[in-house]
Amino acid sequence: MKEIKGCYGRLAIGLMTIAVILALSFNGAECRCTSGCRQIPKKEKRSVDFRASNQRVDDARLPETVSPHSYRLHLKPSIEENTFHGRVWIGFMVDEPTDTITLHARKLQIETTSVSVTTLIATTNNVTSDFQARTQEYDKEREFYTIRLNPGPGGKCLEPMNVYELHISFSGTHTRSGVSRLDGFFKETYVDQKTKEKRWYAATQLSPANARQVFPCFDEPSMKANFEVSVARPGHLSALSNMPIKTTEIMVERPGWYWDHFERTPPMPPSSVAILISDLTPRHDEQALKSQHRRRNGASPSHSAPTFRRQRQPGTTCVTVWASQGVGQEETSTAAAVAPRVLSFFETYLDTPFPLDKLDLVALPAYTASVPAHNWGLIFFRESDLLADNAGSEKWVTSRVAGELAYQWVGGYVTPGWWTDAWINKALANYMTAVAVDELQSRQDQVPSQRSPSSLIYSLYYEYSKHSPYSRIMPIKDLVSAEKGEMVIRMLNNTLSEETFRASLKDFFFQREFSTFNQDILWHIITRRAHIDGTLPKDASVKEIADSWIEKDRFPVVTVTRDYSAGTADIEQRMFIRTKTVQPGGARGEPFESSDGAGGDDQHRSLWWVPIVMATQDKMNFDETKPITWMKPSERRIVIKGETASKTLPGPESFVVVNPEEIGFFFVNYDRRNWRLLADFLQGPYGLERVPEVTRAKLVHDALNLALGDELPFDVALNVTRFLRYERAPAPWKPAFYIMDFLERQLDGTEAGKKFAEYVVRLVSPLYDELTSAERRHGSEDDMAMVEITPGWKTRLRANARNALCSAGHPPCIAASKAQFDTWMEQGVPIPVQSLCPVFGWGTREEWEFGLERVLKFNEAQQPRYGRVYLLKTLASCTRDPELIKRLLKAGLHERHIFTDEELRLILSMMTSTSSGHHTLFKYLRDNWESLKSRFEKKTQMWNSLISFATGAFKTQQGYTMVYDFYKKHKGEFGSAEVIITQSLKKIKSEAQWSEWNLPIIESWLDAYLKA
């Protein structure tokens, strides 16, 4: 009895960590006794935080009265009838007297006469009694199935401290992915690749809240219980579930069928239950397979005690990959090799053994889910996610496997308490995945470990510096919170020390094993460990730090201004918004004023907990990630002086770097002198050797983005990029290529643009030449052959370098593309898509006309439609010939039935990519105003698009004058597009101001650089 009570105590604590809705929302079906029952005062209910946008957030909560601790689930599919039948025995306790049980059910036929409750253990009168259902109610909207019980021989109510078992028989229908959503107990057919035979399998997809569609249950993530699953199957198929098979027995009532009874699971939510019935085959060492996936005859399992003992050692879990019989062994070899290594890595990293005896990774044929089903112990993948046949797909498989195994700990071992907590679960799992993939792939690619999720952080920087970040769109709030949460976790790992952070994760899994958590629990555990280790100030908490980053839709720029004579540094934090410009009559760099409060006083209110981590030229201490101080949200400005300054700041001829290695999610600006010291050192003989790759990337990224945000003069920012001529590592080039592309489009059509193209060629061509020197053949390159012989990061770096050179009109790149295009024209050999734009932009009219002809004669029955779309995009966006642009406009705007409206909008949009394109588009609208207005004015969407694209892409005062004169001439004639052209004028005025301020600076710097 102590054992049961102990388990109930842990479950009760777990249940108290989540909230329940008020009794009024239960419409009278709350857990209450009928008259005559002894009442215990009702517990105070807690409210729910519904800020997250997950589709299950608004689900009504089940009453807290009933606490399930175990399930025995029997499922028997009837494939011919496309149905399944089942029985479930749910062990539970109650925390107050009641005659009502409420649980979840959806699309199930329940045998009402089968519903009963048996007292297994009675502590009050030691009488074992049965309760029969008096009434059964179903609330379709909330998917609540409520059972009201008749009094039993031993009493009128279910009593606290007793252990009960609820029995229900039911049936349901298999879903089909081609007919309905992929959820519940679905059935799918596929064709075997070898035999071409049609085969089928049945599997479950129960997350996030679909267990209720397969069996009646308490379908909430916090209501964890032990499960003993039994599955009926035909003799020629096998069954898998979360745990290994305990026994197999013959189905007496159905010849040729068997019951597979699986081992009891650890506590887990109903949505984690997984079942697969199929003829898929294991890809694993046979001896290991036999030791784990064993079948033996034995008695039918009985209801076990509601506890789970974990006595496992690291490295003892059997990992098996399953695939259809037509899949070759070599295609599953990557997953079979990677999964045990990832599992071992996590066990070591977390110092926590994986708690299950086995782990199955299944490549399901015809599986259409967008992401794998990360069930505990049994993961379902699309075949394309788990099978590898080349180096590129091996990297994809490694990433997918690592991601799903991270969810085995975060989501399986510990589970978010409610749907509002899904984002922190994803954030922690994503961070663990990044660490594992970095560890595995850095060895494979022979590239130094970076531990910097650059793709993630650059996308966040871009969005959060915009006037209206996407995080304000509620449907993706959870996703954005998860991305920010991952960055916060990475920052904590660095600033608190990896030792402290890993120890806190070990504490986390030890304290919350088989239980639930939310962000506050995780932050509290990390705070406690950091305070014990002395790596976090006592007046700070991780929750305060994390909230300051996650709850804001912005990020800061930290400006470091040194006083070189006094040996001090002034550090200031404020919100960064990239959409800033020179306001009329205002100073450069003033905050952008907006209706949403993004500027003005909010600059003072929106502050963060900022770790000030500093590396210096005299110490080169880039491995030091301990902050010298934390800036608090109450501190807009601090000064590093006195003893702190003498210990941390270098002499006046040495640079400082704040936030090296992208430790925190913020930009850093410096005074002009410190930027010069940095640029000179990077350009010098030891710059690439002594400044780490990720820090070099951050300096390039911050300098160029600060210049775009009017926080830093462009000559200072461009000066930082000089070292790239000698850079061969991938990280610094990623932000450089992005900004090069942006500036190339910004400067297109100007004298500065021509000089910028020459600068790009001078900077990038040494990198490209070195990467291609061994593969260059007869003045051309074989891109496809290189993929197989070059490490992945080099292949990507080479492709990006090639694109930059081609965009700049580099003759060797154009010549190579034209050679491939000629082969396409003459022999029909497919051309790499990256060669189209250089040819359409720098080639002949004959080549462009050939591309247009391919579009007009495109056969959708024989070719995928995206081929036509891509050709259209490149034809419209790459050519610089006004006559060809007019040719395309005439075909689209005056000749009917050549392009769809969607294709026409795409063409107009793509034309704004070049100065020649949007100038020609505007002149075409101006010169053909009456005919275009007559044709499109009543087609509102198309008319608005035409006016927007034709007038909104100019960037100079000359362009503003052209559009303004056009607006004055036709004012009042624009109809629904009247507001659009006024917005275009405002945008052009802003762009013209930017050009007026920055173009002379950029051109002057380029002149000096190109002469050097």
Side-chain angles (χ1 to χ4, degrees):
M1 187 60 215
K2 289 182 179 179
E3 189 174 67
I4 296 175
K5 184 176 179 179
C7 177
Y8 171 73
R10 287 195 299 274
L11 285 168
I13 293 172
L15 286 167
M16 291 180 66
T17 65
I18 65 172
V20 296
I21 62 171
L22 297 175
L24 287 175
S25 68
F26 194 54
N27 294 334
E30 61 181 296
C31 291
R32 279 278 154 253
C33 255
T34 53
S35 59
C37 291
R38 181 171 57 89
Q39 298 284 350
I40 293 177
K42 185 170 70 173
K43 293 182 179 180
E44 179 183 354
K45 305 292 183 182
R46 299 182 181 182
S47 62
V48 180
D49 179 5
F50 291 118
R51 288 176 299 173
S53 61
N54 187 292
Q55 61 178 346
R56 308 303 314 189
V57 166
D58 293 327
D59 278 5
R61 292 289 186 91
L62 290 172
E64 287 184 313
T65 311
V66 177
S67 300
H69 56 68
S70 60
Y71 290 76
R72 277 191 295 144
L73 174 63
H74 288 196
L75 284 178
K76 181 174 61 176
S78 178
I79 304 303
E80 298 82 1
E81 301 175 5
N82 205 36
T83 59
F84 62 89
H85 299 267
R87 301 174 69 187
V88 64
W89 296 262
I90 305 176
F92 68 94
M93 301 175 72
V94 298
D95 63 357
E96 63 183 52
T98 183
D99 65 352
T100 302
I101 302 170
T102 300
L103 63 165
H104 288 112
R106 180 203 300 147
K107 299 180 182 178
L108 294 175
Q109 300 297 319
I110 293 176
E111 297 179 19
T112 56
T113 57
S114 71
V115 179
S116 64
V117 174
T118 301
T119 307
L120 298 182
I121 301 175
T123 58
T124 53
N125 50 25
N126 293 321
V127 174
T128 299
S129 60
D130 291 339
F131 295 82
Q132 299 300 320
R134 171 164 50 92
T135 61
Q136 300 174 46
E137 303 168 3
Y138 182 62
D139 183 336
K140 184 176 182 180
E141 181 179 353
R142 293 186 293 176
E143 299 174 342
F144 280 7
Y145 172 54
T146 300
I147 305 166
R148 301 185 188 279
L149 302 172
N150 281 318
K156 296 182 178 179
C157 294
L158 304 174
E159 295 286 347
M161 304 312 296
N162 291 353
V163 179
Y164 299 98
E165 183 179 78
L166 169 65
H167 171 262
I168 303 175
S169 294
F170 57 91
S171 62
T173 302
H174 289 292
T175 56
R176 291 287 301 275
S177 61
V179 178
S180 59
R181 285 194 316 163
L182 191 64
D183 54 21
F185 199 179
F186 68 93
K187 177 187 172 185
E188 188 56 87
T189 59
Y190 69 98
V191 177
D192 186 88
Q193 297 178 23
K194 284 187 177 179
T195 66
K196 305 304 178 184
E197 295 176 346
K198 190 174 182 179
R199 303 186 177 186
W200 65 269
Y201 64 84
T204 55
Q205 180 96 358
L206 305 189
S207 181
N210 296 319
R212 64 191 71 177
Q213 191 166 315
V214 178
F215 59 99
C217 58
F218 297 84
D219 197 7
E220 292 186 359
S222 64
M223 291 194 168
K224 289 191 166 190
N226 305 108
F227 286 81
E228 291 182 75
V229 177
S230 298
V231 179
R233 61 172 176 84
H236 67 286
L237 303 180
S238 62
L240 295 176
S241 188
N242 308 80
M243 300 296 287
I245 291 175
K246 178 166 61 174
T247 63
T248 294
E249 62 180 348
I250 297 173
M251 282 185 68
V252 177
E253 70 275 22
R254 191 167 188 182
W257 279 62
Y258 296 84
W259 279 107
D260 283 336
H261 305 290
F262 293 88
E263 301 276 5
R264 183 163 52 94
T265 73
M268 64 184 194
S271 59
S272 289
V273 172
I275 295 168
L276 172 65
I277 303 170
S278 73
D279 65 351
L280 304 185
T281 58
R283 313 302 169 90
H284 197 283
D285 177 73
E286 285 298 316
Q287 191 61 37
L289 185 65
K290 291 176 183 177
S291 67
Q292 297 295 337
H293 295 279
R294 58 193 183 276
R295 292 188 175 95
R296 64 175 184 271
N297 293 325
S300 178
S302 59
H303 215 293
S304 306
T307 60
F308 185 85
R309 297 187 301 275
R310 178 172 65 84
Q311 296 177 348
R312 296 198 49 76
Q313 296 297 318
T316 59
T317 297
C318 177
V319 181
T320 308
V321 175
W322 297 75
S324 63
Q325 298 175 25
V327 172
Q329 188 78 21
E330 69 282 355
E331 295 180 80
T332 60
S333 60
T334 297
V338 166
R341 293 207 304 267
V342 174
L343 198 67
S344 177
F345 172 81
F346 282 139
E347 288 184 324
T348 302
Y349 181 78
L350 302 172
D351 194 16
T352 304
F354 186 63
L356 303 184
D357 291 324
K358 65 90 181 173
L359 175 62
D360 292 316
L361 288 73
V362 183
L364 277 183
Y367 186 54
T368 58
S370 58
V371 295
H374 33 258
N375 313 299
W376 208 13
L378 177 57
I379 310 173
F380 300 149
F381 295 83
R382 294 180 301 185
E383 286 187 321
S384 59
D385 288 337
L386 201 61
L387 307 182
D389 55 10
N390 58 55
S393 57
E394 285 179 4
K395 294 179 182 299
W396 173 254
V397 168
T398 299
S399 177
R400 273 300 201 195
V401 168
E404 293 313 304
L405 264 60
Y407 278 108
Q408 295 293 295
W409 268 272
V410 188
Y413 196 10
V414 294
T415 308
W418 189 245
W419 316 117
T420 47
D421 306 311
W423 69 268
I424 187 62
N425 189 81
K426 181 175 177 61
L428 185 53
N430 284 356
Y431 175 77
M432 291 168 54
T433 301
V435 173
V437 171
D438 179 80
E439 181 71 21
L440 294 173
Q441 292 192 348
S442 61
R443 299 174 187 171
Q444 181 178 346
D445 277 356
Q446 298 179 344
V447 78
S449 173
Q450 296 177 20
R451 297 283 173 90
S452 176
S454 56
S455 297
L456 168 65
I457 200 167
Y458 290 155
S459 65
L460 288 176
Y461 275 137
Y462 176 73
E463 286 298 332
Y464 288 134
S465 63
K466 285 165 49 175
H467 183 261
S468 297
Y470 63 11
S471 63
R472 300 183 182 188
I473 303 172
M474 289 306 295
I476 55 174
K477 184 76 172 178
D478 274 355
L479 176 61
V480 175
S481 295
E483 290 176 340
K484 289 191 287 186
E486 182 182 347
M487 294 307 305
V488 168
I489 289 170
R490 181 178 179 275
M491 180 177 71
L492 295 172
N493 177 77
N494 282 291
T495 56
L496 304 181
S497 80
E498 186 170 359
E499 293 75 16
T500 292
F501 185 74
R502 287 178 61 176
S504 67
L505 288 185
K506 180 181 178 181
D507 295 343
F508 171 68
F509 285 105
F510 179 78
Q511 294 177 30
R512 307 305 301 177
E513 65 173 355
F514 309 130
S515 187
T516 59
F517 77 102
N518 55 36
Q519 58 167 322
D520 289 347
I521 291 174
L522 176 62
W523 301 147
H524 173 73
I525 291 174
I526 299 175
T527 299
R528 186 172 181 276
R529 172 56 60 181
H531 285 163
I532 292 173
D533 292 353
T535 56
L536 183 69
K538 291 293 184 181
D539 63 343
S541 73
V542 170
K543 175 176 170 54
E544 292 175 321
I545 294 171
D547 286 352
S548 75
W549 295 94
I550 293 169
E551 293 182 356
K552 294 184 178 70
D553 290 333
R554 299 293 182 189
F555 65 90
V557 54
V558 171
T559 302
V560 181
T561 307
R562 296 171 61 186
D563 185 329
Y564 293 88
S565 59
T568 62
D570 184 284
I571 302 179
E572 179 189 35
Q573 63 156 313
R574 60 188 177 86
M575 182 193 306
F576 179 81
I577 300 177
R578 196 172 65 178
T579 49
K580 292 200 287 187
T581 187
V582 183
Q583 300 296 328
R588 172 183 169 85
E590 287 184 351
F592 184 94
E593 300 294 341
S594 66
S595 60
D596 65 355
D601 292 340
D602 269 14
Q603 289 276 15
H604 302 277
R605 290 195 296 267
S606 297
L607 300 179
W608 292 258
W609 279 87
V610 180
I612 304 301
V613 178
M614 186 180 294
T616 61
Q617 183 175 344
D618 57 346
K619 296 179 181 177
M620 287 295 170
N621 50 337
F622 292 97
D623 292 336
E624 177 58 57
T625 60
K626 181 180 180 181
I628 61 174
T629 188
W630 284 85
M631 291 189 76
K632 303 175 182 178
S634 59
E635 297 174 323
R636 186 174 182 271
R637 174 179 174 270
I638 63 172
V639 178
I640 305 298
K641 58 184 179 179
E643 185 178 353
T644 303
S646 63
K647 289 182 178 179
T648 57
L649 295 177
E653 297 305 317
S654 297
F655 64 74
V656 301
V657 176
V658 171
N659 197 27
E661 300 296 273
E662 202 76 72
I663 289 170
F665 177 48
F666 55 93
F667 287 162
V668 182
N669 200 358
Y670 305 95
D671 56 81
R672 181 181 282 267
R673 181 171 175 177
N674 195 77
W675 276 118
R676 178 180 58 78
L677 292 169
L678 278 166
D680 290 346
F681 187 84
L682 289 171
Q683 177 82 351
Y686 305 109
L688 300 183
E689 176 185 341
R690 303 193 65 184
V691 179
E693 178 184 346
V694 173
T695 298
R696 301 197 301 271
K698 174 154 185 66
L699 291 171
V700 172
H701 180 264
D702 285 8
L704 293 174
N705 276 280
L706 289 166
L708 290 173
D710 288 336
E711 297 278 355
L712 185 67
F714 256 103
D715 58 334
V716 178
L718 289 170
N719 212 39
V720 176
T721 67
R722 290 179 301 153
F723 79 94
L724 289 171
R725 182 172 173 80
Y726 311 100
E727 181 64 78
R728 300 297 178 263
W733 281 106
K734 187 159 190 170
F737 284 137
Y738 168 75
I739 300 297
M740 284 177 185
D741 178 67
F742 181 89
L743 284 176
E744 181 184 273
R745 288 182 280 111
Q746 190 77 17
L747 304 176
D748 187 36
T750 67
E751 285 301 315
K754 297 175 183 177
K755 296 172 183 176
F756 186 77
E758 190 177 346
Y759 151 81
V760 169
V761 171
R762 184 174 294 189
L763 214 61
V764 179
S765 55
L767 168 71
Y768 184 72
D769 290 342
E770 184 171 318
L771 289 172
T772 59
S773 58
E775 292 79 22
R776 197 178 299 275
R777 295 290 185 269
H778 308 293
S780 65
E781 306 122 6
D782 186 351
D783 293 326
M784 298 302 103
M786 287 191 61
V787 173
E788 300 297 329
I789 62 176
T790 308
W793 68 270
K794 284 189 176 180
T795 300
R796 293 188 294 272
L797 183 59
R798 177 183 178 277
N800 288 331
R802 181 186 187 279
N803 291 340
L805 290 172
C806 286
S807 295
H810 190 42
C813 179
I814 304 303
S817 298
K818 283 174 66 66
Q820 292 173 325
F821 198 92
D822 290 344
T823 305
W824 183 36
M825 292 178 66
E826 296 168 5
Q827 303 175 24
V829 177
I831 181 175
V833 292
Q834 62 266 30
S835 294
L836 290 174
C837 197
V839 175
F840 292 155
W842 306 94
T844 65
R845 290 189 177 183
E846 179 187 5
E847 290 162 334
W848 189 90
E849 290 285 357
F850 177 82
L852 180 60
E853 183 182 4
R854 294 299 294 257
V855 169
L856 299 179
K857 295 182 178 180
F858 197 86
N859 188 337
E860 293 191 18
Q862 299 177 1
Q863 298 169 288
R865 178 170 174 75
Y866 64 79
R868 172 184 167 97
V869 172
Y870 194 86
L871 270 174
L872 268 179
K873 287 174 63 175
T874 50
L875 285 167
S877 64
C878 299
T879 184
R880 290 166 168 77
D881 187 334
E883 293 304 316
L884 295 179
I885 296 171
K886 283 192 279 187
R887 165 94 165 82
L888 193 58
L889 286 171
K890 183 178 180 181
L893 296 176
H894 283 99
E895 299 175 18
R896 300 178 184 273
H897 310 304
I898 293 181
F899 302 119
T900 65
D901 284 356
E902 182 181 359
E903 289 174 337
L904 184 53
R905 282 193 294 272
L906 175 67
I907 291 171
L908 298 175
S909 171
M910 290 296 101
M911 282 182 177
T912 64
S913 300
T914 64
S915 174
S916 180
H918 70 253
H919 272 83
T920 305
L921 174 57
F922 171 77
K923 291 175 182 177
Y924 194 89
L925 171 66
R926 184 188 62 189
D927 298 342
N928 296 274
W929 172 255
E930 294 299 334
S931 62
L932 291 175
K933 182 173 182 289
S934 174
R935 180 176 178 187
F936 292 110
E937 186 179 22
K938 294 182 179 179
K939 300 177 69 173
T940 303
Q941 189 175 12
M942 181 60 69
W943 177 245
N944 291 346
S945 297
L946 176 60
I947 300 301
S948 175
F949 293 133
T951 63
F954 291 94
K955 299 178 177 66
T956 63
Q957 183 60 41
Q958 182 184 7
Y960 177 84
T961 302
M962 289 170 57
V963 176
Y964 182 70
D965 290 345
F966 176 66
Y967 172 67
K968 281 200 307 181
K969 180 178 181 180
H970 297 287
K971 187 175 183 180
E973 300 178 26
F974 291 93
S976 61
E978 193 83 29
V979 66
I980 291 175
I981 193 169
T982 59
Q983 290 172 345
S984 292
L985 286 167
K986 290 180 181 179
K987 179 184 175 184
I988 299 169
K989 189 170 186 179
S990 175
E991 292 285 357
Q993 290 171 336
W994 186 94
S995 298
E996 181 182 0
W997 185 276
N998 289 292
L999 255 59
I1001 297 173
I1002 293 172
E1003 190 168 1
S1004 175
W1005 185 89
L1006 288 170
D1007 286 337
Y1009 176 82
L1010 296 174
K1011 288 177 183 178

